[in-house]
Amino acid sequence: MSTDQIPTGLARLRLALVAAASGLAVAAAVVFGAGVAPAFADDYPTWDDVKNAQANAEAKDQEVTRIQGLISEMNAQVSAAQQLATQRGTEYQTAQTAYDTANFVAGELEQQATDARTTAEASNRQAGQLAAQLARTGGNDLSLNLLVGGEQLSNDLLYQLSAMSKLAEKTSQIYAKAQQDTNTATALTAQAEVARDELKGLADEALRLRDEAVAAQQQAEAALQEQEDHQVELQAQLQVLQENRVATEADYQKGVDARAEAARAAAAAGLSTLPYIAASGWASPFPGAFSSDEYGMRVNPVSGAYLLHSGIDLVYNGGTCGATVYAAAEGIVNYAGWNGGYGNFIQIDHGGGIATAYGHNTTLLVGNGTYVSVGQPIAYAGTTGNSTGCHVHFEVRQNGTAINPRPFMAAQGIEFG
């Protein structure tokens, strides 16, 4: 490696770190409140309240206004919680991408430094061998020949002198090249060390934002669950008051039970066949799919930025949207929700420092903290986030760092087309 190659590696490093810093700045510039207001569960009307209000027009109007206010406030709370979860997820994805890209570039610099050092060592060995040969060729025998030969130097002696001159010149050039390669290796090593120092901060920031994103997502899920638990009943109570009908809590509960039974039947009918599970205990997240884009540095097709594509994209020849996505191994879901450019995103912790992730889903079937078994349906494929078409972005992470999923999964007995 020559010194004129250094700017390429350094430029890529700087681009990665600048992108990291600017991405985090943009993410931090849009900030919602510290949280969403707590729920108001103690304030829900009972069916006795509804029945009593029907006896008086003024009381009925007040109860209608009260229920409408609760519904409106509940919707606003869910909307605010979802906005916060979306923002936190975007911040997390921006920070994670910054870390992944900078880490990849730092690794490239370290490899280039190692290659340069190996080349320098080889050049030094070659120069040493030539110097030894020069010493043997130009020793006392040549000096004696020069002294006794007078003006009649033989053609052999002239040839020997010419060869020695060329040998000395070549040796000098190789020593110079070895020094140049040594300087290159030293410079690249220093830059890689700077990059690694920067990475610690990027990794810590990504982890902090992930925790915030998980908390915001859980808050949004709680608000949505409260809405689902109470809004149907509030709407039923409101309808009874507005239409001046007679209804009881028992009538409402019959409807609840009927809807629950219909949901269970739909879920049972929609269960997919589990994928093949290898002897390693791993399964394909998208059985029979092939890769449309591999792991590695690339120009992002949506943003145009030169970033690490930290996984592989899996598709079917037809019908990718809505197809079932499966857990590649058993584990605990440590992130389920919106994650910036990854859209609806799931990450599963499998223990031992290994995690898998699944991006761009249209629907998630599991939530934060859920235990999943190998081959369990966890989502339906989609094109949410920064996506140019339906596919599953599949990642494998080792101790928080993205690695190439293809060789890792191949070692588990799972191949991708």
Side-chain angles (χ1 to χ4, degrees):
M1 176 177 297
S2 62
T3 52
D4 60 1
Q5 291 177 287
I6 297 178
T8 301
L10 298 188
R12 293 176 67 186
L13 173 64
R14 292 190 186 104
L15 283 173
L17 295 181
V18 167
S22 60
L24 292 178
V26 169
V30 184
V31 180
F32 287 86
V36 179
F40 36 84
D42 293 339
D43 202 28
Y44 292 121
T46 66
W47 282 95
D48 285 339
D49 292 335
V50 172
K51 182 178 179 181
N52 294 335
Q54 284 181 311
N56 180 278
E58 182 179 355
K60 183 174 72 174
D61 289 343
Q62 289 177 347
E63 195 65 22
V64 166
T65 300
R66 175 190 173 201
I67 292 175
Q68 288 174 332
L70 285 171
I71 292 173
S72 177
E73 187 177 351
M74 187 182 299
N75 290 338
Q77 184 185 48
V78 170
S79 178
Q82 289 174 334
Q83 280 185 306
L84 181 62
T86 297
Q87 176 61 25
R88 292 292 181 260
T90 298
E91 291 170 355
Y92 164 48
Q93 187 265 328
T94 299
Q96 186 66 70
T97 299
Y99 168 77
D100 289 341
T101 300
N103 181 68
F104 187 89
V105 172
E108 284 189 325
L109 284 173
E110 289 170 340
Q111 184 59 53
Q112 289 169 13
T114 299
D115 293 344
R117 192 170 292 106
T118 300
T119 302
E121 291 170 355
S123 296
N124 274 318
R125 283 195 300 272
Q126 184 181 8
Q129 291 167 354
L130 289 176
Q133 181 180 347
L134 180 61
R136 289 193 299 271
T137 304
N140 292 330
D141 290 343
L142 179 58
S143 300
L144 180 61
N145 287 336
L146 287 171
L147 289 171
V148 302
E151 298 179 357
Q152 303 298 319
L153 294 175
S154 68
N155 288 336
D156 287 344
L157 183 55
L158 287 173
Y159 176 79
Q160 189 177 10
L161 287 170
S162 176
M164 285 177 58
S165 176
K166 290 180 180 178
L167 190 60
E169 181 182 356
K170 182 65 175 177
T171 303
S172 177
Q173 290 174 349
I174 293 175
Y175 269 127
K177 180 66 166 57
Q179 185 58 53
Q180 185 182 60
D181 289 333
T182 300
N183 293 341
T184 298
T186 301
L188 288 170
T189 299
Q191 292 300 326
E193 288 173 355
V194 170
R196 289 297 175 195
D197 289 342
E198 294 283 349
L199 284 174
K200 179 64 168 63
L202 291 176
D204 289 345
E205 181 69 354
L207 184 60
R208 182 184 71 80
L209 290 171
R210 190 199 75 178
D211 291 343
E212 286 192 8
V214 169
Q217 182 65 30
Q218 289 173 332
Q219 195 170 41
E221 290 169 359
L224 184 61
Q225 186 62 56
E226 184 169 337
Q227 183 192 52
E228 292 174 349
D229 288 345
H230 296 282
Q231 186 153 328
V232 172
E233 184 171 11
L234 289 172
Q235 291 285 7
Q237 292 172 335
L238 184 61
Q239 187 175 15
V240 166
L241 287 168
Q242 290 175 327
E243 296 178 5
N244 203 28
R245 292 188 292 105
V246 176
T248 66
E249 186 173 4
D251 296 327
Y252 167 75
Q253 192 59 45
K254 287 180 183 177
V256 171
D257 294 340
R259 285 190 295 273
E261 182 58 37
R264 283 192 292 271
L271 287 178
S272 303
T273 303
L274 296 181
Y276 163 77
I277 299 174
S280 64
W282 286 71
S284 174
F286 218 40
F290 66 92
S291 170
S292 63
D293 203 351
E294 292 289 316
Y295 171 92
M297 295 295 292
R298 68 169 187 179
V299 175
N300 186 281
V302 176
S303 69
Y306 188 63
L307 300 168
L308 176 67
H309 183 231
S310 52
I312 60 176
D313 293 341
L314 301 176
V315 298
Y316 291 129
N317 283 321
T320 298
C321 267
T324 303
V325 182
Y326 301 91
E330 69 173 337
I332 302 294
V333 176
N334 62 15
Y335 192 90
W338 187 264
N339 189 13
Y342 289 128
N344 292 324
F345 179 84
I346 291 173
Q347 183 168 288
I348 303 173
D349 182 358
H350 303 292
I354 300 297
T356 56
Y358 316 73
H360 305 303
N361 305 288
T362 184
T363 304
L364 304 184
L365 304 179
V366 295
N368 287 295
T370 304
Y371 166 81
V372 294
S373 57
V374 56
Q376 176 179 330
I378 58 172
Y380 296 125
T383 184
T384 56
N386 291 344
S387 170
T388 56
C390 282
H391 68 282
V392 175
H393 172 85
F394 176 66
E395 291 182 359
V396 176
R397 291 185 174 272
Q398 188 169 38
N399 297 321
T401 298
I403 61 174
N404 192 337
R406 185 176 285 279
F408 177 88
M409 293 298 286
Q412 314 308 318
I414 305 299
E415 299 284 351
F416 297 115

